[in-house]
Amino acid sequence: MIYNLILAEDLHKLHDAKDIYIYGASDVAKSMGYCLRGDPFDKNIKAFLVSDISKEESKSIFDIPVISYTDASEDMLVIIATLEKYRDDIIANLKSVELNNYLCATFESTLGEEIRKEKFFSLIRCSEWDIRTLSEIKNQFEKDKEVKI
């Protein structure tokens, strides 16, 4: 119960934020950026933050700059979008520059999964596919079975 409350609070915090940073520049961060731009989140991603800018091949992702976390100028919401094993080091980096407003949406996290799921369902709603859950299919089958009898 407490776990679901924390997830709901994190999602509420995310929905309330207009401008965000994403910490990371790997495929995990890129997929998070894709999920958060546009429907259903519509976030303005100010920059992708990294620990060591000298190691980055690309200076932008989706035409959004990749910058060092030390160059982040505003204390806006930071979405940590990396593998879980880097989380503690990233939190220490953020705290060292007084960026204390963050959410851990790592690849393995429930929050990361929920964000990807909301994006997926948003895409499905925009399509013409007939997507139903197994329980919806079962209920329809039961109703159809009753009508035939």
Side-chain angles (χ1 to χ4, degrees):
M1 185 69 156
I2 293 173
Y3 184 72
N4 289 336
L5 182 59
I6 292 170
L7 178 60
E9 288 174 358
D10 287 351
L11 284 170
H12 183 72
K13 187 176 183 178
L14 175 60
H15 281 288
D16 283 351
K18 182 180 184 308
D19 298 327
I20 63 169
Y21 289 124
I22 293 179
Y23 201 117
S26 69
D27 289 340
V28 176
K30 290 173 187 173
S31 67
M32 186 59 62
Y34 173 76
C35 289
L36 293 176
R37 295 171 50 187
D39 189 50
F41 295 100
D42 294 317
K43 298 300 160 208
N44 180 29
I45 303 167
K46 290 292 204 179
F48 286 85
L49 307 179
V50 295
S51 299
D52 187 353
I53 193 70
S54 67
K55 292 182 180 178
E56 293 305 314
E57 294 176 19
S58 177
K59 298 301 177 198
S60 69
I61 298 170
F62 308 129
D63 293 324
I64 300 167
V66 175
I67 65 171
S68 171
Y69 73 95
T70 59
D71 294 331
S73 58
E74 301 173 50
D75 190 21
M76 67 180 65
L77 183 62
V78 177
I79 307 299
I80 299 172
T82 62
L83 296 176
E84 186 73 25
K85 66 183 181 179
Y86 302 119
R87 184 189 65 164
D88 292 340
D89 290 338
I90 291 168
I91 291 171
N93 288 347
L94 292 172
K95 287 182 176 183
S96 74
V97 292
E98 298 182 14
L99 290 173
N100 297 308
N101 187 17
Y102 59 84
L103 291 174
C104 294
T106 60
F107 182 74
E108 300 89 344
S109 71
T110 303
L111 179 60
E113 178 184 347
E114 192 65 29
I115 291 168
R116 291 187 300 273
K117 184 170 72 175
E118 281 196 36
K119 180 64 173 186
F120 174 77
F121 284 122
S122 167
L123 294 170
I124 295 301
R125 282 190 296 276
C126 294
S127 74
E128 295 179 14
W129 298 347
D130 179 20
I131 303 295
R132 296 179 287 167
T133 64
L134 288 176
S135 60
E136 290 170 332
I137 293 169
K138 179 183 174 242
N139 290 340
Q140 185 63 48
F141 177 77
E142 293 298 324
K143 286 178 186 176
D144 290 348
K145 193 167 123 182
E146 291 174 8
V147 170
K148 291 180 183 177
I149 293 178

